[in-house]
Amino acid sequence: MKVPKEDSRAADSQKPKRDKEMEQKEKEETLNRKEEEETQSELPTDSDSDPDDEVLSEDGDAWRESGPGQTESSGDEGIVTQIDDEGLIDDGGDDSDHGQENESESDEVHEGAEESDSSEDEVAPRNTIGDVPLEWYKDEEHIGYDITGKKIKKKERQDKLDSFLASVDDSKSWRRIYDEYNDEEVELTKHETKLIRRLLKGKAPHADFDPHAPYVDWFAWDDAKHPLSNAPEPKRRFIPSKWESKKVVEYVRAIRKGLIKFDKPKEEPRFYLLWGDDSSSTEKAGHGLAYIPAPKAKLPGHAESYNPSLEYIPTQEEINSYQLMFEEDRPKFIPKRFTSLRSVPAYEKATNESFDRCLDLYLCPRARKKRINIDPESLKPKLPSRQWIASGSSDGTVRIWEVETGRCLRVWEIGEAVQHVAWNPLPELPILAVSAGQDVYLLNTGLGNEEEQEKIKELLHVENPTMSMPAPDGSGNSTSIVSWSQDDKHGGIRLKHFKSVSSVEWHRKGDYFSTVMPSGESRAVLIFQLSKKLTQRIPFKLHGLPVSSTFHPTRSIFFISTKKNVRVYDLLKQKLIKKLETGVREVSSIAIHPGGDNVIVGSREGKLCWFDMDLSSQPYRILKCHPKDITNVAFHRSYPLFASCSDDCTAYVFHGMVYSDLNQNPLIVPLEILRGHTSANGRGVMDCKFHPRQPWLFTAGADSVIRLYCH
């Protein structure tokens, strides 16, 4: 046990021994009575701060005698706990050997030591692992070592369910705290809980502590005869400082050199605009709010003049007609003419108009409206520049037109009726494929920069005329199906076929294209490779006369349409995937959706069939929209639009939305019927194509006119 302080020991030594024994008995009775009250008391609440203070104040004498910093001793003599400022339990105290070392002390010292209630000196900690993290013993069966070096076994902990049931039955379970360091549960006393509750409320731990004690002035000023410092005033307080003068010189030189600049005082304008606008005034924009100036009154004009022109003065008939008008429609001021300004009388409505003006300024709310000055010409849709469209005609010419201006850029004389024209899908390769008779021309349009032109010239160069794919004829001789040759006249390549070619279609990569010869029998559909100048026929047997062919937008799938149905082939696996039964009299054209899973088919009887390839081989929807033959159908690349054109001189535009959800069917809605072409030789609109990016539709008619329809 620690020896008490000298002042408490001296005080105890001065008391008689009998008085000490009586005081000791009184203290023990007080502690026993408090323990009985504690066992019979109910659970405390947070609202009983004042009663706690009263209980502590009643027993204040016992606490004050035991000395500052000492706490109440519990009934058990072995363990005394104390709570530090952070609310943690600290098992204080020294070893029992400490008392044996002090046996030579006087009896008074022993008596004073026995009266000490300090919990720091009662019990020593069981665990002596030192400054070692407890996490190291997390997976071990023991937790530290005792003073003799033996392992301290961990106690078996209850699971959460058992501990919860035990806490329900035990009314003092909320006072128990698990000491992780010594692996034991410590029960807080009532006094310790009061201290914790006061600390949580931001108060002092002890109730007898006065946080607002009067200030004690330790220096007596009444009898002071001498000042704190009687040193004489230094000389530097009466002499100008040389360091300050140097600093002033530096500032003066900096000002003269312009290194230090001062803000010029604001000069108030002597004059101001009488009729000026105060919208730019910053003085009235206070408190961080946007200042909205009042609207200006209308300035007087020629009619308000005292001597206006004769055309401003109304006649008597006009004045009489004013009386028949509604009051809000009558003119508020009727011009009059006076010989001089002196003869002008007072305005009879001056007071009323001034009052109305004040009401407008005071009562009418103000709102700032943004005016946008827009040029009407900028609202008109502008056609993009440097975009071109190609056309082929029955007069044997191929032309390239500028979309923005309609100017014809270039003309090729083919010398035979043009059946089909198609652009290369790659923008960096502006090559045009043209089919006329038995020939297919790959023309260099001359568009693009120098690098692109060099690449195009290399692609369209044939060193030696090549013959490919010999086809046996009826006489036993062999003739070539296609021959590649250089066409110097038109600046490109000429592919000579053994039958007339009706259509040409490009692959999405721009290196392959296909041709269709309706009378070519088993070699009616051919596929060409531009980079290697190769020709190959499809390894499938054609059932019927082919009408058109096209490539899949994303996969290696090839579509061939005959007069009755559409067959879908896989070029890599070289097998038939699906056969679409159209159910129409004769197929005229087909188009593939950019997603690749939907196909539209146009027929000679005016019917348009929509096929969902994932759904069925039968048409999902049949649209009877044209009374005459459908000449062509087309899908837009990016917008959910498709169109059809017919010999009835009309073109229909539909909204065709394909959803990514396979459980939802496509949505087809008719949008517009486009007219404008005239019939010629019983033919109407021959072809229709969508713009690659804009929602525009180009139509070519038998009346030799190409029309552009914009949204």
Side-chain angles (χ1 to χ4, degrees):
M1 301 292 290
K2 288 185 178 179
V3 180
K5 296 182 179 179
E6 295 180 359
D7 52 355
S8 62
R9 185 175 58 194
D12 292 338
S13 62
Q14 293 175 4
K15 294 181 181 180
K17 187 174 183 180
R18 184 178 300 174
D19 295 342
K20 291 182 180 179
E21 293 178 355
M22 294 177 64
E23 290 178 359
Q24 183 69 20
K25 291 180 180 180
E26 291 178 358
K27 288 170 62 177
E28 291 178 356
E29 292 176 358
T30 303
L31 292 176
N32 294 332
R33 186 174 61 255
K34 288 179 64 180
E35 288 179 359
E36 292 176 357
E37 292 176 356
E38 181 179 344
T39 55
Q40 296 176 1
S41 62
E42 297 180 355
L43 295 177
T45 58
D46 295 339
S47 61
D48 57 352
S49 60
D50 296 333
D52 295 344
D53 299 342
E54 293 177 0
V55 174
L56 289 176
S57 62
E58 291 175 359
D59 302 332
D61 297 334
W63 294 104
R64 280 192 289 272
E65 287 184 11
S66 62
Q70 299 176 358
T71 60
E72 178 185 359
S73 176
S74 62
D76 300 332
E77 295 179 359
I79 300 175
V80 178
T81 58
Q82 182 179 9
I83 300 178
D84 57 5
D85 294 341
E86 298 179 357
L88 300 177
I89 298 175
D90 183 16
D91 294 339
D94 297 336
D95 299 337
S96 59
D97 299 335
H98 182 71
Q100 298 175 1
E101 294 175 0
N102 298 329
E103 290 181 354
S104 61
E105 297 292 335
S106 62
D107 296 338
E108 296 178 356
V109 173
H110 284 291
E111 292 175 358
E114 290 177 357
E115 295 177 1
S116 175
D117 293 335
S118 176
S119 62
E120 297 178 357
D121 306 329
E122 291 292 339
V123 180
R126 293 172 54 245
N127 197 350
T128 58
I129 59 174
D131 190 9
V132 174
L134 293 177
E135 295 181 356
W136 293 2
Y137 295 92
K138 182 173 60 175
D139 299 331
E140 301 293 336
E141 296 181 355
H142 64 285
I143 174 170
Y145 305 88
D146 57 6
I147 196 169
T148 59
K150 297 181 180 180
K151 294 182 179 180
I152 301 175
K153 297 292 183 179
K154 289 184 179 179
K155 297 180 180 179
E156 294 183 358
R157 298 293 304 275
Q158 294 180 344
D159 56 0
K160 293 185 177 180
L161 182 58
D162 295 339
S163 61
F164 173 73
L165 295 176
S167 64
V168 172
D169 298 334
D170 190 2
S171 61
K172 294 184 179 181
S173 61
W174 62 275
R175 290 188 180 184
R176 292 189 179 89
I177 299 176
Y178 176 67
D179 184 6
E180 187 178 4
Y181 184 77
N182 291 315
D183 191 24
E184 61 183 3
E185 285 189 355
V186 180
E187 183 176 351
L188 300 178
T189 62
K190 188 175 182 180
H191 177 66
E192 291 169 347
T193 56
K194 292 177 182 178
L195 295 180
I196 294 173
R197 202 174 282 122
R198 290 184 61 85
L199 289 173
L200 292 176
K201 292 181 179 180
K203 298 181 180 180
H206 299 283
D208 56 350
F209 175 75
D210 186 9
H212 305 289
Y215 174 72
V216 179
D217 192 358
W218 300 102
F219 187 80
W221 292 93
D222 297 337
D223 300 334
K225 297 180 180 180
H226 301 285
L228 294 177
S229 177
N230 201 15
E233 292 288 337
K235 184 179 180 181
R236 62 178 177 271
R237 297 186 181 178
F238 305 97
I239 300 176
S241 175
K242 62 178 180 179
W243 304 108
E244 291 182 358
S245 62
K246 289 183 179 180
K247 202 67 176 177
V248 170
V249 171
E250 291 180 3
Y251 286 145
V252 171
R253 290 177 180 175
I255 293 172
R256 289 176 180 175
K257 292 180 181 180
L259 300 178
I260 299 177
K261 296 181 180 180
F262 300 97
D263 297 333
K264 294 182 179 180
K266 295 182 179 180
E267 297 181 359
E268 296 183 358
R270 185 178 179 185
F271 307 101
Y272 63 93
L273 296 175
L274 182 62
W275 305 105
D277 188 8
D278 56 352
S279 60
S280 61
S281 177
T282 57
E283 298 178 357
K284 298 181 180 180
H287 306 289
L289 300 177
Y291 171 69
I292 302 177
K296 296 293 183 181
K298 184 180 179 181
L299 298 179
H302 294 288
E304 285 79 6
S305 175
Y306 74 95
N307 189 12
S309 302
L310 294 177
E311 60 267 18
Y312 292 102
I313 300 176
T315 61
Q316 188 62 34
E317 296 178 356
E318 293 176 350
I319 295 175
N320 296 334
S321 63
Y322 294 159
Q323 303 299 326
L324 301 177
M325 296 181 181
F326 293 102
E327 186 176 357
E328 57 270 11
D329 296 335
R330 295 176 189 174
K332 296 182 179 180
F333 178 76
I334 299 177
K336 295 181 181 180
R337 199 170 190 183
F338 301 94
T339 56
S340 62
L341 187 61
R342 184 179 299 176
S343 59
V344 177
Y347 184 47
E348 62 273 9
K349 297 182 180 180
T351 305
N352 295 338
E353 291 185 358
S354 299
F355 181 71
D356 293 341
R357 172 68 176 172
C358 293
L359 289 180
D360 293 341
L361 296 177
Y362 177 67
L363 298 177
C364 293
R366 305 176 192 175
R368 190 182 300 275
K369 294 183 178 180
K370 295 183 179 181
R371 292 184 178 181
I372 303 176
N373 297 324
I374 299 176
D375 185 12
E377 295 294 331
S378 63
L379 299 177
K380 296 180 181 179
K382 293 184 178 181
L383 300 176
S385 59
R386 311 302 297 175
Q387 294 192 8
W388 316 94
I389 182 173
S391 65
S393 176
S394 58
D395 60 357
T397 60
V398 177
R399 301 172 186 268
I400 294 181
W401 311 81
E402 188 177 9
V403 175
E404 181 180 8
T405 61
R407 176 176 60 93
C408 183
L409 178 67
R410 192 168 182 179
V411 180
W412 287 275
E413 294 286 346
I414 302 299
E416 198 170 356
V418 178
Q419 300 294 330
H420 197 270
V421 292
W423 285 100
N424 191 302
L426 297 181
E428 61 271 13
L429 294 178
I431 299 175
L432 189 65
V434 180
S435 65
Q438 297 182 358
D439 298 328
V440 173
Y441 297 91
L442 302 179
L443 303 178
N444 183 7
T445 58
L447 306 176
N449 52 31
E450 296 180 358
E451 296 180 358
E452 294 175 354
Q453 282 298 315
E454 292 180 358
K455 185 177 181 180
I456 292 172
K457 289 179 180 179
E458 292 179 1
L459 287 175
L460 299 182
H461 177 68
V462 179
E463 296 181 356
N464 298 319
T466 58
M467 303 290 183
S468 60
M469 292 187 63
D473 55 3
S475 60
N477 300 326
S478 62
T479 59
S480 64
I481 297 178
V482 178
S483 62
W484 295 69
S485 61
Q486 192 73 35
D487 189 3
D488 297 330
K489 178 181 178 181
H490 303 100
I493 297 176
R494 179 183 179 184
L495 285 78
K496 184 69 175 178
H497 294 65
F498 71 100
K499 295 290 182 181
S500 60
V501 180
S502 61
S503 65
V504 181
E505 292 291 339
W506 285 92
H507 188 262
R508 66 181 184 278
K509 293 185 178 180
D511 192 23
Y512 296 90
F513 62 94
S514 65
T515 60
V516 175
M517 296 177 289
S519 58
E521 297 179 354
S522 62
R523 292 174 176 81
V525 180
L526 302 177
I527 297 178
F528 302 86
Q529 186 177 4
L530 178 59
S531 59
K532 297 182 179 181
K533 311 299 186 296
L534 297 178
T535 306
Q536 56 183 345
R537 69 179 184 87
I538 58 174
F540 314 112
K541 183 179 180 181
L542 298 177
H543 301 273
L545 295 177
V547 176
S548 61
S549 65
T550 183
F551 292 93
H552 193 276
T554 57
R555 299 166 58 188
S556 60
I557 294 177
F558 194 60
F559 295 82
I560 298 177
S561 65
T562 59
K563 289 187 177 182
K564 294 296 181 180
N565 46 48
V566 179
R567 284 179 167 83
V568 185
Y569 299 96
D570 191 339
L571 296 179
L572 293 179
K573 298 180 181 179
Q574 296 186 1
K575 67 176 183 178
L576 178 66
I577 298 177
K578 185 170 288 189
K579 178 182 177 182
L580 305 179
E581 298 290 344
T582 60
V584 298
R585 185 179 61 196
E586 183 178 350
V587 176
S588 61
S589 58
I590 63 171
I592 314 300
H593 189 270
D597 294 333
N598 294 270
V599 182
I600 54 176
V601 178
S603 66
R604 295 292 182 185
E605 52 192 288
K607 292 182 180 180
L608 189 144
C609 302
W610 179 292
F611 287 90
D612 190 345
M613 296 178 60
D614 295 334
L615 185 63
S616 173
S617 60
Q618 300 295 327
Y620 162 69
R621 187 72 59 84
I622 298 177
L623 305 175
K624 177 64 176 175
C625 49
H626 295 280
K628 293 186 178 181
D629 299 351
I630 295 178
T631 55
N632 194 21
V633 291
F635 269 110
H636 198 282
R637 290 186 185 178
S638 55
Y639 288 91
L641 299 173
F642 68 95
S644 64
C645 58
S646 173
D647 284 337
D648 59 358
C649 302
T650 61
Y652 281 65
V653 180
F654 299 87
H655 172 83
M657 186 65 186
V658 178
Y659 300 96
S660 58
D661 187 4
L662 298 179
N663 295 327
Q664 192 169 4
N665 295 328
L667 176 63
I668 302 173
V669 180
L671 295 180
E672 292 288 340
I673 301 177
L674 306 178
R675 296 182 175 87
H677 289 278
T678 58
S679 178
N681 298 327
R683 303 300 302 275
V685 182
M686 306 293 294
D687 197 1
C688 64
K689 294 290 183 183
F690 276 105
H691 190 277
R693 293 180 297 275
Q694 302 293 337
W696 300 343
L697 182 67
F698 296 90
T699 59
D703 54 356
S704 302
V705 177
I706 300 175
R707 294 186 179 273
L708 168 60
Y709 296 93
C710 301
H711 176 63

